[in-house]
C-alpha cells in the first residue's frame, strides 16, 4: 500500500522536524512500518537535514583587514547608529555611504560636523587580533581626524593593555601621544578574574578601567557610538 | 547606565555577545561569504546591544537576534538591489557559486553547500534555520516575519531541490528505481 497521497511532503517534513503531535507521529510511524517507500521518504528527509547541519558544522574563520568591515557594511552600520541616535537618514543616504569604495570614507561625512565616535572591542590575546585592533584604531584615527575612538579590551584581550604581556607598549604610547581623543579601556571584571587566578595586572599608563567592558560597550552604543568587534 | 543596573540586564548583554558564533554560522550559510557573514553577525550584535531594552523575555534571545540578523541581510540586499520588496527578495534566484563541473570530486560538505547555494534566498534561509539552528517552524516564522505555512512550503521545496541536487550523496538512485 502506498501512502504517497496520504502523507504530503509538508507533513513528512513536519514529522522529521518534530513539529507533529503525538497522535500524528504515531500514524506516520505505524504507516512507515508497513510501507517501505514511506520509510525511505522519511530517511531521505532525515538525511537531508543531517547533511545541511553537517555542511555548516565548521565554517571558515574570518579575520577582516582594517577598513574592510567598515567600507563593506557602512550603510548598515550607519543605520544602527541612526537608530540609536535618533538621526533620520533616508535610504538615499545609506546608498551614498555604502557606495564609496574608500575604507572609512563615511566617517567624516555622515556625521559631520559632529566628530565620529567609534568603539573598537578586542576580547582575544591572539597576536594577529591584537595587531588588527591597533591597525583598525590607527586607520580610523588617520582617516577621521577628530574622531573619538576607544579601544576596549576584555577577556584575554586584556593582555594588550597589561605591562606584563603587551607586545605593543611603545605603539600604544605613541598612539595616545598623537591622539588626545583616543582612549584605552580595560574591563574591571577581566582584571579581577586575572588577579583571582594569581596573575599580576599592571596596566599600561595610557589605560583606564571601566567596571565591565560589556556595560561600557552597551552604554556607548546607546549614546550613538559605532561599535566594531575585532 | 541606569537602564543596565540590574544583574539580569547585564547578563543579557553578555549573552548577546555570546551568540556571535551562531549568528556568524547562519549568516555564512545564507551568504557563503565569510567576510560578509562576519559583517552581518557584527551588525546584528551591535543592533541587538543597542536595542537590548526592547527584549522582554530572555529565553527568546536567540530568535530575537536571528530576526535582527535577517533584517541586516535584507538591508544589505536592498542596498545592492534598488529596494526590492521582501517577497521578491525571498524568491531571488541564487547568485552564489553553484555546483561546478568537478562536483563529483568534491567532498560532501562542498557538495551540500553548493546545493544550498543554488536555492532561492527564502528557501535557503528557512532550511538553514531549521536544520542548523534546530529552530521550530513558529520561531522561523517569527524571525523571517512570514506565516508558518510559508515556512513549511519553502522548507518542502528546499528539501525537494536538495534531494535532487544531492542524490549521489544521499544514495537516492536506489530509492528511485523502486518507484
Amino acid at each position: 500500500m502506498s501512502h504517497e497521497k496520504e502523507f504530503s511532503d509538508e507533513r513528512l517534513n513536519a514529522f522529521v522536524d518534530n513539529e507533529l503531535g503525538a497522535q500524528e507521529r504515531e500514524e506516520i510511524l505505524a504507516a512507515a512500518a508497513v510501507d517501505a517507500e514511506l520509510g525511505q521518504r522519511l530517511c531521505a528527509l532525515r538525511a537531508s537535514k543531517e547533511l545541511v547541519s553537517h555542511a555548516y558544522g565548521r565554517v571558515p574563520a574570518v579575520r577582516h583587514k582594517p577598513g574592510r568591515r567598515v567600507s563593506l557594511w557602512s550603510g548598515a552600520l550607519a543605520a544602527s547608529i541612526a537608530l540609536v541616535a535618533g538621526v533620520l537618514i533616508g535610504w538615499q543616504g545609506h546608498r551614498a555611504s555604502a557606495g564609496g569604495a574608500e575604507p572609512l570614507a563615511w566617517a567624516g561625512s555622515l556625521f559631520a560636523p559632529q566628530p565620529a565616535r567609534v568603539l573598537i572591542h578586542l576580547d582575544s590575546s591572539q597576536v594577529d587580533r591584537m595587531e588588527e585592533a591597533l591597525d583598525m584604531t590607527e586607520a580610523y584615527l588617520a582617516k577621521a581626524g577628530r574622531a573619538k575612538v576607544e579601544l576596549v579590551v576584555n577577556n584575554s584581550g586584556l593582555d594588550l593593555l597589561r605591562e606584563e604581556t603587551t607586545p605593543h607598549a611603545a605603539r600604544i604610547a605613541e598612539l595616545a601621544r598623537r591622539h588626545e581623543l583616543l582612549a584605552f579601556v580595560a574591563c574591571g571584571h577581566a582584571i579581577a578574574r586575572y588577579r583571582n587566578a594569581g596573575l599580576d595586572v599592571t596596566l599600561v599608563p595610557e589605560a583606564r578601567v571601566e567596571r565591565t567592558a560589556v556595560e561600557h560597550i552597551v552604554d556607548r552604543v546607546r549614546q550613538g557610538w559605532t561599535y566594531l568587534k575585532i | 547606565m541606569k537602564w543596565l543596573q540590574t544583574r539580569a540586564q547585564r547578563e543579557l548583554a553578555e549573552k548577546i555577545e555570546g551568540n556571535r558564533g551562531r549568528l556568524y554560522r547562519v549568516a555564512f550559510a545564507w551568504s557563503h561569504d565569510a567576510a560578509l557573514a562576519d559583517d552581518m553577525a557584527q551588525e546584528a550584535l551591535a543592533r541587538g546591544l543597542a536595542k537590548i531594552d526592547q527584549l522582554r523575555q530572555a529565553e527568546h534571545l536567540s530568535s530575537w537576534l536571528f530576526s535582527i540578523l535577517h533584517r541586516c541581510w535584507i538591508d544589505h540586499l536592498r542596498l545592492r538591489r534598488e529596494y526590492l520588496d521582501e517577497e521578491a527578495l525571498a524568491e531571488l534566484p541564487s547568485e552564489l557559486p553553484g555546483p561546478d563541473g568537478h562536483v563529483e570530486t568534491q567532498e560532501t560538505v562542498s557538495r551540500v553547500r553548493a546545493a544550498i547555494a543554488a536555492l532561492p534566498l527564502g528557501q535557503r534561509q528557512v532550511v538553514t534555520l531549521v536544520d542548523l539552528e534546530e529552530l521550530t517552524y513558529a520561531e522561523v516564522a517569527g524571525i523571517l516575519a512570514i506565516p508558518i505555512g510559508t515556512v513549511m512550503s519553502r522548507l518542502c521545496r528546499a528539501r525537494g531541490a536538495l534531494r535532487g541536487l544531492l542524490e549521489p550523496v544521499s544514495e537516492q538512485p536506489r530509492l528511485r528505481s523502486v518507484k
Side-chain angles (χ1 to χ4, degrees):
Chain A
M1 183 179 77
S2 172
H3 291 269
E4 283 281 347
K5 299 291 179 215
E6 192 172 338
F7 296 115
S8 68
D9 282 337
E10 290 194 355
R11 204 159 160 209
L12 296 188
N13 272 302
F15 176 83
V16 299
D17 292 325
N18 208 17
E19 292 275 339
L20 296 182
Q23 190 178 342
E24 277 188 294
R25 287 187 66 80
E26 282 295 322
E27 282 173 19
I28 290 176
L29 282 169
V34 294
D35 183 339
E37 191 170 338
L38 177 61
Q40 285 171 330
R41 283 171 70 198
L42 291 173
C43 278
L45 289 174
R46 284 220 173 88
S48 170
K49 234 176 127 58
E50 284 183 22
L51 282 170
V52 172
S53 175
H54 175 67
Y56 299 97
R58 297 175 71 180
V59 287
V62 61
R63 297 268 45 98
H64 47 274
K65 293 181 170 55
R68 164 89 170 82
R69 180 201 302 283
V70 178
S71 62
L72 182 71
W73 200 253
S74 53
L77 270 177
S80 74
I81 297 310
L83 196 70
V84 174
V87 179
L88 292 174
I89 302 172
W91 278 109
Q92 290 300 331
H94 288 276
R95 298 179 67 206
S97 66
E102 194 180 6
L104 307 168
W106 59 277
S109 58
L110 196 61
F111 300 104
Q114 190 183 10
R117 298 171 296 174
V118 180
L119 185 151
I120 295 166
H121 176 202
L122 173 73
D123 66 354
S124 163
S125 58
Q126 283 177 28
V127 174
D128 57 339
R129 290 175 72 178
M130 282 192 185
E131 280 181 12
E132 191 180 345
L134 290 171
D135 288 349
M136 183 75 92
T137 303
E138 201 160 355
Y140 200 91
L141 288 165
K143 194 74 194 177
R146 296 285 297 169
K148 283 185 183 174
V149 178
E150 287 187 350
L151 178 51
V152 179
V153 302
N154 67 347
N155 298 333
S156 63
L158 184 64
D159 285 351
L160 180 67
L161 299 183
R162 284 176 69 206
E163 285 194 343
E164 295 87 354
T165 50
T166 182
H168 298 293
R171 189 174 175 192
I172 289 168
E174 175 63 15
L175 277 170
R177 189 185 64 75
R178 290 209 319 261
H179 303 282
E180 58 178 320
L181 296 177
L182 169 63
F184 295 92
V185 178
C187 172
H189 269 198
I191 293 171
R193 278 201 297 271
Y194 268 60
R195 287 180 176 151
N196 286 341
L199 295 166
D200 290 330
V201 178
T202 309
L203 295 180
V204 297
E206 295 78 17
R208 73 162 201 266
V209 179
E210 291 284 344
R211 202 162 76 91
T212 77
V214 170
E215 281 180 342
H216 183 66
I217 290 165
V218 174
D219 209 24
R220 286 300 195 215
V221 169
R222 289 181 60 90
Q223 290 166 3
W225 287 54
T226 298
Y227 170 60
L228 295 174
K229 175 111 181 253
I230 298 299
Chain B
M1 191 68 75
K2 280 177 195 164
W3 56 276
L4 198 63
Q5 277 174 347
T6 68
R7 183 187 174 87
Q9 281 175 312
R10 192 168 68 240
E11 285 175 355
L12 200 56
E14 283 168 1
K15 276 185 190 161
I16 288 178
E17 277 279 324
N19 271 273
R20 183 182 175 81
R22 292 179 72 190
L23 290 168
Y24 171 69
R25 190 168 78 134
V26 167
F28 178 79
W30 290 353
S31 67
H32 284 191
D33 176 333
L36 174 61
D38 191 45
D39 287 335
M40 287 205 291
Q42 161 72 32
E43 175 65 9
L45 213 66
R47 291 191 194 183
L49 288 170
K51 297 195 285 187
I52 191 169
D53 52 344
Q54 292 177 15
L55 179 68
R56 296 292 172 215
Q57 291 172 286
E59 67 265 31
H60 295 154
L61 176 67
S62 295
S63 290
W64 182 67
L65 285 174
F66 283 125
S67 70
I68 294 174
L69 185 72
H70 170 62
R71 296 309 317 170
C72 293
W73 180 227
I74 294 295
D75 288 349
H76 168 74
L77 294 172
R78 280 191 174 145
L79 284 172
R80 291 176 46 214
R81 292 180 177 277
E82 309 276 327
Y83 322 122
L84 286 179
D85 66 42
E86 270 185 55
E87 210 161 310
L89 281 174
E91 295 304 323
L92 268 185
S94 173
E95 288 182 350
L96 306 179
D100 60 28
H102 303 292
V103 73
E104 296 81 5
T105 63
Q106 290 173 353
E107 58 182 316
T108 305
V109 166
S110 306
R111 294 192 52 131
V112 179
R113 286 187 188 173
I116 298 272
L119 297 174
L121 179 62
Q123 293 179 34
R124 206 184 315 147
Q125 284 189 299
V126 168
V127 80
T128 51
L129 286 171
V130 171
D131 290 350
L132 286 187
E133 289 302 321
E134 298 181 338
L135 298 172
T136 66
Y137 292 177
E139 286 171 323
V140 174
I143 288 165
L144 302 178
I146 53 178
I148 287 185
T150 307
V151 171
M152 293 176 74
S153 61
R154 282 187 192 172
L155 191 61
C156 215
R157 279 182 282 151
R159 287 191 179 144
L162 288 178
R163 186 176 174 184
L165 290 165
L166 293 171
E167 276 181 351
V169 174
S170 54
E171 298 179 339
Q172 289 299 309
R174 285 174 60 85
L175 268 180
R176 284 158 63 90
S177 67
V178 174
K179 278 187 180 176

